[in-house]
Amino acid sequence: MTADMPTTFFGWVVFIINQYGGALLQGAGVTLLLAIVGTLIGCAIGLFVGIVQTVPITERTNTGLKILNRAVQFVLAAYVEIFRGTPMIVQAMVVYYGSMAVFNIDMSAMLAGFLVVSVNTGAYMAETVRGGIISIDKGQTEAAMAIGMNHFQTMYTVVLPQALRNIMPQIGNNLIINIKDTSVLNVISVTELYFASKSAAGVYYRYFEVFFVTCVIYFIMTFAASRILRYFERRMAGSADYQLVGDPMADPSGIFPNGTKMGGK
Amino acid sequence: MTTEKKKPILAINHLVKYFGEREILKDIDFEVGQGNVISVIGASGSGKSTMLRCINLLEMPTSGDIIFEGKNVLDTSNNIALYRTKVGMVFQSFNLFTNMTVLQNCMVSPVTVLKRSREEARQTAMKYLEKVGMAQYINARPDQLSGGQKQRVAIARALAIKPQILLFDEPTSALDPQMVGEVLEVMRELAEEGLTMIIVTHEMAFARDVSTRVIYMADGVIVEDGTPQEVFGSPKHERTKEFLARFTQNT
Ligand SMILES: Nc1ncnc2c1ncn2[C@@H]1O[C@H](COP(=O)(O)OP(=O)(O)OP(=O)(O)O)[C@@H](O)[C@H]1O
Ligand SMILES: [Mg+2]
C-alpha cells in the first residue's frame, strides 16, 4: 500500500481530489443548496416580519387591531431576539433533537438544516428589512399618500422596491455567511461540505490536505456568489444615462413600475 | 366678503391643530370656491405647511371640520385615500419616486389607485408631461433631472390623477433662482385654465399677479384674507403691513 501513496503535499492534494473529489463536490452541492434555499426563505421571512413590524398605527386604527398588533409585534420581536441571540450550531441541535423529543416528529437532518438556516436568516433579515424600510425618505411615503395610495400600495410600489435595492448588499452578505455557516450543520450529520471533508480526512488522517481543498472550494463558492450579486446590484441601479424622446407620443417603449424593466441600454 | 360668490368646493371650519402641548393652528376658517387661486403667505413657523398638510390629511387635525363636496372628510367613514385623489399636493422637496422613471411617476397612481388601463394612464401622463414641458424626459430617472425639471414632473404627477384642488407647499423654495421662473410659469398657466389651487409661497409678485385671493397667516391664525389688491394694496392689519414691509425690504 505504501508504495503508491503520495509523498508530497501536492501529491496528496491530487490524490484526494481523485479519490474524494466527487464526495467533496457533492458536499459542496448540499452546502450551496442549503445556503441558497435558506437565504431565499430567510429573505421571505425577513420581508414578511419587517413589513409587519412597520405597519403604521394611527389614532384612527380601531382598538381590536391595536391589541392584535401589540400581540403580533411581541411575538415577532421575541423571534428576532431569540434567533439572533443564540448560536446556529445550538439551534440545530435543539431543533433536530427537540422535534423528536417534544413533538415526536422524526425530521430528517436535511430538513432540520433547511429549517434552521431559513429561520436564522429570517431573524437577521427582519432587522435589515425593517431598517431598509424606515430609512426610506418620509417624503416618498407622503408623496405616495398624497396621490391617493393606501399603505399597502405605497409599500408595494414605492417603499419596498427602494428598500430592497438598498438592502441588496446585505442579502448578498447573508448568502455568503450562509455558505460558510452551514458547516455547523455537520453536528446533526447533514452531509454538507464540512461533513464530507471530515469523513474524507478521517480515512488517511490527511486533515491539512483535505481541508486545504475544502478551503479552496468554499472560497470559490463565496467569491462566485459575491460577483454574481454585484452584477445584480448594478443591474438594479439602472442605466447611468437616458435618451431624450423626440416624439414621445409615438414611443412604445416599455413602461411600468418596479424594476422589472429597469436598466440596460 | 366681496369675492366671487361661487359655491365653495372646500370649506375649512374651526380647524385646530396641536403638536403635543403646542397649538399650531388656532381656529382656521376659510372657504375655497371653484377656480380660486389662493396664495397663503406668512412668516416661517406661522403654520402654513401644517394647514396645507391638514387639508390633505397628511396631518390629522385636532378638531374642526373639513368639508369637501358637502361631506366632512374627517368622518371616520370617509375614505381618506380616495379624498386625496381629489385634493392633490405638490411638495417643496418634489418627492418624485426614485425607483421609477418620469413617466412611471406619472402613471403609478392612475394605474394602481384609479385602476385606469395602462394605455389610458399613459395618454393622460403624456398630456400633462407635455403641458409642463417634460415629455421628452419620460425615460429619465428623478436623480438625473434638475430641480426645476423635477418640480414640473411632480406637478404633472399630481395633475395626472385629475384632482379638483391642487395644494402647493412652497413649490419653488428649494430651487435655484434661475429655475423658479419655469415652475411659476407652469402654475400661472394652470391658474389661467381655472384649476383650483392653494399655494403656500414666498413669491410675492406671483401671489399678487396670479392669485384670486391672498391669505396672510401669523402664529396659527388667518390675519388677513382678501383679494391681492386688498392684502397688498391696503392691508387692514398692522401685522400684515409689518410683514409686507419686511418682505419688500429683504427682497
Ligand atoms: N411634526 C411636528 N411636530 C411638532 N411640531 C411641529 C411639527 N410640524 C411642524 N411643527 C411646528 O409647527 C409650527 C408651524 O410649522 P409649519 O411648518 O406649519 O410652518 P410654516 O409656516 O410652513 O413655516 P415655513 O415658512 O418655514 O415653511 C412650527 O413651530 C413647527 O416647529
Ligand atoms: Mg412650510
Side-chain angles (χ1 to χ4, degrees):
Chain A
M1 185 167 162
T2 36
D4 43 1
M5 280 290 116
T7 49
T8 63
F9 172 74
F10 283 108
W12 270 107
V13 167
V14 171
F15 178 79
I16 283 158
I17 291 174
N18 282 334
Q19 289 287 101
Y20 295 103
L24 291 182
L25 281 185
Q26 220 164 19
V30 173
T31 292
L32 269 187
L33 187 68
L34 279 164
I36 292 173
V37 172
T39 305
L40 286 178
I41 299 179
C43 283
I45 296 174
L47 209 54
F48 172 79
V49 174
I51 289 170
V52 173
Q53 284 184 328
T54 51
V55 164
I57 295 295
T58 66
E59 309 97 84
R60 282 170 75 103
T61 314
N62 80 44
T63 329
L65 278 180
K66 273 184 191 158
I67 294 168
L68 177 69
N69 183 64
R70 273 275 184 82
V72 170
Q73 299 301 357
F74 177 80
V75 172
L76 294 183
Y79 158 63
V80 170
E81 293 302 337
I82 289 169
F83 279 86
R84 281 199 318 174
T86 53
M88 193 154 89
I89 193 167
V90 176
Q91 291 166 13
M93 298 296 267
V94 170
V95 168
Y96 184 56
Y97 294 105
S99 60
M100 183 51 126
V102 182
F103 300 107
N104 219 3
I105 303 170
D106 188 10
M107 205 184 273
S108 74
M110 197 65 185
L111 182 62
F114 278 122
L115 199 66
V116 168
V117 178
S118 304
V119 169
N120 194 282
T121 308
Y124 280 95
M125 282 309 296
E127 282 301 285
T128 306
V129 170
R130 196 173 68 85
I133 290 173
I134 59 183
S135 73
I136 301 301
D137 179 18
K138 206 160 153 266
Q140 295 282 312
T141 342
E142 290 193 341
M145 295 199 306
I147 51 176
M149 291 194 210
N150 58 31
H151 175 70
F152 178 78
Q153 292 162 335
T154 304
M155 289 301 277
Y156 178 70
T157 59
V158 177
V159 176
L160 287 180
Q162 293 182 29
L164 278 180
R165 186 183 60 195
N166 295 347
I167 65 177
M168 267 304 274
Q170 271 103 306
I171 294 178
N173 220 4
N174 263 302
L175 177 61
I176 286 166
I177 288 174
N178 281 342
I179 290 175
K180 295 186 297 177
D181 284 7
T182 43
S183 57
V184 304
L185 296 175
N186 82 86
V187 296
I188 55 170
S189 304
V190 174
T191 54
E192 41 66 53
L193 181 53
Y194 181 87
F195 187 88
S197 311
K198 217 172 52 171
S199 313
V203 179
Y204 297 99
Y205 296 102
R206 304 310 299 192
Y207 284 91
F208 175 48
E209 289 82 357
V210 170
F211 278 97
F212 175 77
V213 174
T214 306
C215 198
V216 171
I217 299 176
Y218 269 118
F219 181 74
I220 290 172
M221 291 195 292
T222 54
F223 188 71
S226 115
R227 289 295 118 159
I228 292 169
L229 286 157
R230 197 59 69 76
Y231 169 77
F232 279 117
E233 264 172 54
R234 270 205 305 273
R235 287 228 0 201
M236 281 179 85
S239 60
D241 53 8
Y242 59 91
Q243 305 289 318
L244 288 184
V245 179
D247 181 5
M249 294 313 259
D251 175 55
S253 71
I255 312 301
F256 215 53
N258 295 355
T260 42
K261 261 226 75 215
M262 276 197 278
K265 292 199 184 158
Chain B
M1 227 170 284
T2 53
T3 43
E4 61 267 67
K5 268 283 173 246
K6 283 176 185 165
K7 185 168 162 279
I9 53 175
L10 180 74
I12 314 294
N13 297 331
H14 305 297
L15 181 71
V16 173
K17 175 67 185 176
Y18 277 83
F19 280 122
E21 299 285 289
R22 287 172 62 212
E23 190 176 22
I24 304 298
L25 295 178
K26 305 163 187 165
D27 200 22
I28 299 284
D29 258 309
F30 71 97
E31 291 186 346
V32 183
Q34 183 71 48
N36 282 181
V37 176
I38 302 177
S39 290
V40 180
I41 60 174
S44 182
S46 56
K48 305 180 299 294
S49 296
T50 307
M51 181 178 83
L52 223 51
R53 293 166 59 82
C54 280
I55 292 177
N56 114 334
L57 302 183
L58 285 176
E59 301 289 355
M60 276 296 157
T62 308
S63 65
D65 298 326
I66 299 173
I67 313 291
F68 179 74
E69 292 179 330
K71 278 198 281 254
N72 188 354
V73 301
L74 295 174
D75 283 348
T76 40
S77 61
N78 177 54
N79 181 338
I80 293 181
L82 186 68
Y83 164 69
R84 290 205 187 105
T85 64
K86 296 173 182 165
V87 181
M89 178 127 168
V90 172
F91 300 86
Q92 179 175 348
S93 49
F94 331 122
N95 299 343
L96 290 180
F97 304 131
T98 57
N99 58 317
M100 300 178 198
T101 64
V102 163
L103 183 56
Q104 289 168 346
N105 262 279
C106 299
M107 284 175 62
V108 63
S109 178
V111 171
T112 55
V113 179
L114 302 176
K115 310 291 180 207
R116 300 271 179 272
S117 76
R118 251 166 225 207
E119 195 39 47
E120 190 188 342
R122 196 180 119 78
Q123 299 285 347
T124 315
M126 288 312 303
K127 183 177 120 194
Y128 290 111
L129 284 167
E130 200 93 53
K131 182 189 285 292
V132 300
M134 288 298 293
Q136 282 194 304
Y137 294 86
I138 51 175
N139 294 327
R141 278 182 289 112
D143 58 1
Q144 298 165 324
L145 299 176
S146 74
Q149 291 174 327
K150 283 186 212 174
Q151 195 59 296
R152 285 185 284 145
V153 173
I155 293 173
R157 174 177 69 180
L159 291 171
I161 53 171
K162 302 184 177 162
Q164 310 275 320
I165 305 178
L166 198 45
L167 312 174
F168 292 81
D169 191 2
E170 302 197 30
T172 58
S173 296
L175 300 178
D176 290 341
Q178 70 270 24
M179 293 171 189
V180 170
E182 66 190 53
V183 172
L184 292 183
E185 193 45 49
V186 167
M187 293 169 63
R188 184 189 301 267
E189 270 174 43
L190 294 175
E192 279 163 10
E193 289 168 17
L195 180 69
T196 311
M197 306 194 272
I198 306 176
I199 306 162
V200 172
T201 185
H202 292 297
E203 298 289 331
M204 293 303 158
F206 178 84
R208 190 180 50 222
D209 300 343
V210 177
S211 29
T212 55
R213 234 168 92 200
V214 176
I215 287 175
Y216 168 66
M217 279 182 76
D219 296 330
V221 295
I222 292 181
V223 177
E224 195 121 355
D225 180 352
T227 64
Q229 292 81 353
E230 288 166 352
V231 175
F232 290 108
S234 49
K236 296 192 202 71
H237 296 269
E238 214 35 58
R239 304 186 67 172
T240 322
K241 284 178 200 161
E242 278 167 28
F243 173 76
L244 290 173
R246 220 174 328 129
F247 221 92
T248 35
Q249 266 168 26
N250 291 350
T251 51

